Amino acid sequence: MGMSSALSNALSWLTASARSADVISSNISNATTDGYGRRELDLSARVLGGEGSGVHIDGITRIVDQVVIADRRLADADLGASTTRAGFLQRVEDVVGEPGTAGSLSDRIAGLDTAFIEAASRPDSEPRLQNVLRSAKGIADHINIISREIQTQRTNADHSIALQVNQLNSALKNIEQLNHAILTQDSSGRDTSALMDQRQQLVDQISSIVPMRAVPRDRGQIALITTGGAILLDGRATEIGFTRTGLITEDMTFDAGSLSGLTLNGNPVSTGENGIMSGGTLTATFEVRDKLAITAQSDLDAVARDLVERFQDPSVDTSLTALDAGLFTDAGAFFYPANEPGISTRLSINTRVDPESGGAIWRLRDGIGAATQGDVGNAGLLQSMSGALTHSQVPVSGDITVASRSVSGLSSDYLSKIGAARQSADADIAFASTKVDMLKTQELQSGVDTDYEMQQLLLVEQSYASNARVMQTIDELIQTLLRI
């Protein structure tokens, strides 16, 4: 081998070593960067005139485990959906309150029962009658608060859907642009690894919203298709549509046409359990808005109805006629079964017993429909109201229970139903979280190993030093020849 060939070989190796050092340094510095794919420098032997002439840099290969990444994205979607459902159920459970906790619904009902018993023992005591009124107001106000919270959660869910749709559309457009950039870079022979890292980060960001798989296309491009078969991106990004609602009330539902659904390029799509977009936080948020919250509201209305009808029964308070409102009312009026939707929001105390509203507290003792005071020692009505509160009867509406329950028992069953659903969602979270952690660990194992990279860097330094020594030796030989 002549000196020129040796010099060419050494120079090509120096160039390859310098490039390898850059690639390895990038790997080490991005070892913990999300979406970063480990790089390897591709080299091949360079042959000129049938003789070896060093090495040729073919390019850079980005190494990622696409199978693990795809499974991890699906697990992210499952975790996001379970977390969304659990968050709503936990909030309702918190507002209802755990039994035995001060201020909880069951605690307030127990407090009213105690107030009835105490007032019946001294029906002439105005402070005890005031305690009955205060306890009854506490129950009505608490049920109002629960109902408003459910509708607030529906409104928040609707707003969250709008934000997620905007995030999806923005990310899909950016991924479309990155696809084109990767195609351009690849066509010109330039490294596309950094662009692929950005694209992977974007896909990861939206994978919890809608479960999807990245399908390889020519020249490093990808298509995004949901597990339900909806094409979100294949060349061009799909436009996802949704119209946000400012404020949601009890009577507003998707089925009634008062709330927006989801569209793909203007075509409506199902957001149900088996829809083409199902499985992530987006459809879970629709589930909160259109199913979980509506069920929680309907069951709460059943509790409120049961309470109202117990006290507007003329057999409990003989001063009432068939269409007179009792202690608990529908916005101050008699309750009609046809008006059940939203009764938990309208539940209020009869103004005839409330001095602050122009009523008289003695009507709790003498009858809500009474025109004048009666015997201050008569505890009959207070005892009858106490019995109405604790009497077991089968609720005529809702989907809480088919067994006979007192007001306290029915409210406890309502909380139990919410709690059971929340515990199921928590179990789903635990399972999905474990799966995500396992897949992330596998993903990291196929990522950058800093110990291995440092070993490779030492080999590169040795190669660089060896070839530098070859060039130094050739330089010395040339200098010697020039001095002869």
Side-chain angles (χ1 to χ4, degrees):
M1 178 184 294
M3 284 191 296
S4 60
S5 296
L7 184 62
S8 177
N9 283 342
L11 183 60
S12 69
W13 273 109
L14 285 177
T15 301
S17 297
R19 189 70 181 278
S20 293
D22 288 340
V23 170
I24 294 171
S25 298
S26 177
N27 287 341
I28 295 173
S29 62
N30 289 284
T32 59
T33 302
D34 289 337
Y36 180 82
R38 177 175 170 269
R39 276 73 151 156
E40 282 189 357
L41 190 67
D42 296 328
L43 302 175
S44 62
R46 186 170 64 184
V47 179
L48 294 176
E51 293 185 359
S53 184
V55 294
H56 179 268
I57 299 176
D58 297 326
I60 295 176
T61 299
R62 181 174 179 269
I63 301 175
V64 293
D65 192 331
Q66 295 292 356
V67 174
V68 172
I69 290 175
D71 289 344
R72 191 259 303 156
R73 286 171 177 164
L74 297 181
D76 284 338
D78 289 340
L79 178 59
S82 299
T83 302
T84 298
R85 286 189 288 267
F88 166 75
L89 295 167
Q90 182 66 66
R91 180 56 188 155
V92 176
E93 192 176 15
D94 290 343
V95 176
V96 175
E98 289 290 334
T101 303
S104 66
L105 181 58
S106 62
D107 180 70
R108 294 183 186 278
I109 293 172
L112 178 59
D113 186 31
T114 300
F116 275 136
I117 295 172
E118 291 177 348
S121 68
R122 283 286 308 277
D124 61 318
S125 172
E126 186 170 314
R128 296 194 181 193
L129 294 177
Q130 288 284 359
N131 190 35
V132 170
L133 177 61
R134 187 165 46 251
S135 298
K137 279 186 174 180
I139 293 175
D141 291 343
H142 197 122
I143 291 178
N144 294 160
I145 290 170
I146 298 170
S147 181
R148 286 196 295 268
E149 180 61 30
I150 291 172
Q151 298 312 311
T152 296
Q153 292 301 313
R154 290 187 73 204
T155 301
N156 291 344
D158 192 82
H159 295 179
S160 176
I161 292 169
L163 291 175
Q164 291 180 68
V165 167
N166 288 339
Q167 184 179 354
L168 273 173
N169 284 326
S170 176
L172 290 173
K173 283 293 183 184
N174 289 335
I175 294 171
E176 177 187 336
Q177 294 173 4
L178 284 170
N179 265 347
H180 292 319
I182 289 170
L183 175 61
T184 302
Q185 291 273 62
D186 184 76
S187 298
S188 60
R190 289 178 288 176
D191 180 30
T192 62
S193 297
L195 295 175
M196 289 184 175
D197 287 344
Q198 294 180 41
R199 187 178 65 187
Q200 180 175 320
Q201 291 171 5
L202 284 173
V203 177
D204 287 346
Q205 288 172 15
I206 60 175
S207 62
S208 63
I209 299 176
V210 178
M212 63 185 73
R213 291 193 179 276
V215 180
R217 294 291 189 253
D218 294 338
R219 298 284 189 170
Q221 298 184 91
I222 60 170
L224 295 177
I225 302 175
T226 70
T227 54
I231 299 175
L232 299 181
L233 172 71
D234 196 358
R236 295 181 62 85
T238 297
E239 181 68 25
I240 303 171
F242 177 78
T243 302
R244 171 178 164 176
T245 303
L247 179 66
I248 297 179
T249 55
E250 299 86 353
D251 60 314
M252 299 174 66
T253 64
F254 171 73
D255 292 337
S258 50
L259 296 177
S260 173
L262 207 62
T263 63
L264 294 183
N265 289 333
N267 299 311
V269 296
S270 171
T271 55
E273 183 178 352
N274 298 316
I276 60 175
M277 300 283 282
S278 65
T281 59
L282 183 60
T283 52
T285 311
F286 270 106
E287 183 181 356
V288 168
R289 189 195 73 174
D290 299 332
K291 183 178 178 182
L292 295 179
I294 288 178
T295 299
Q297 181 69 50
S298 176
D299 288 342
L300 184 63
D301 286 343
V303 174
R305 173 182 177 175
D306 181 79
L307 181 63
V308 172
E309 289 185 328
R310 287 171 183 262
F311 288 89
Q312 73 178 19
D313 186 351
S315 66
V316 174
D317 184 351
T318 57
S319 69
L320 300 176
T321 66
L323 297 180
D324 283 339
L327 177 60
F328 292 94
T329 72
D330 183 356
F334 179 84
F335 169 74
Y336 293 93
N339 296 333
E340 180 175 343
I343 178 60
S344 54
T345 302
R346 305 188 304 271
L347 183 66
S348 62
I349 299 302
N350 198 316
T351 56
R352 290 180 60 83
V353 303
D354 187 1
E356 294 182 359
S357 302
I361 194 69
W362 52 262
R363 287 195 174 93
L364 285 172
R365 177 189 63 230
D366 300 323
I368 293 176
T372 60
Q373 293 192 52
D375 181 4
V376 295
N378 184 7
L381 177 57
L382 293 168
Q383 293 170 344
S384 180
M385 286 184 174
S386 178
L389 185 70
T390 57
H391 172 69
S392 290
Q393 63 183 36
V394 178
V396 296
S397 62
D399 188 27
I400 306 175
T401 181
V402 295
S404 294
R405 290 287 186 268
S406 64
V407 174
S408 177
L410 187 60
S411 66
S412 295
D413 285 349
Y414 175 73
L415 178 62
S416 296
K417 182 179 179 181
I418 297 291
R422 191 265 306 160
Q423 289 174 2
S424 177
D426 284 345
D428 291 339
I429 289 175
F431 176 78
S433 181
T434 300
K435 188 175 181 180
V436 168
D437 291 341
M438 178 190 70
L439 291 169
K440 281 185 176 180
T441 300
Q442 293 182 13
E443 191 176 350
L444 290 173
Q445 288 174 351
S446 63
V448 177
D449 182 344
T450 53
D451 291 337
Y452 173 79
E453 298 296 335
M454 291 300 296
Q455 293 173 10
Q456 294 301 110
L457 189 59
L458 289 174
L459 293 177
V460 168
E461 290 176 353
Q462 292 172 6
S463 174
Y464 190 93
S466 298
N467 286 283
R469 180 58 181 165
V470 169
M471 294 189 68
Q472 182 181 1
T473 301
I474 293 174
D475 178 65
E476 290 174 355
L477 288 174
I478 291 174
Q479 295 298 328
T480 299
L481 291 173
L482 293 175
R483 286 195 297 270
I484 293 176

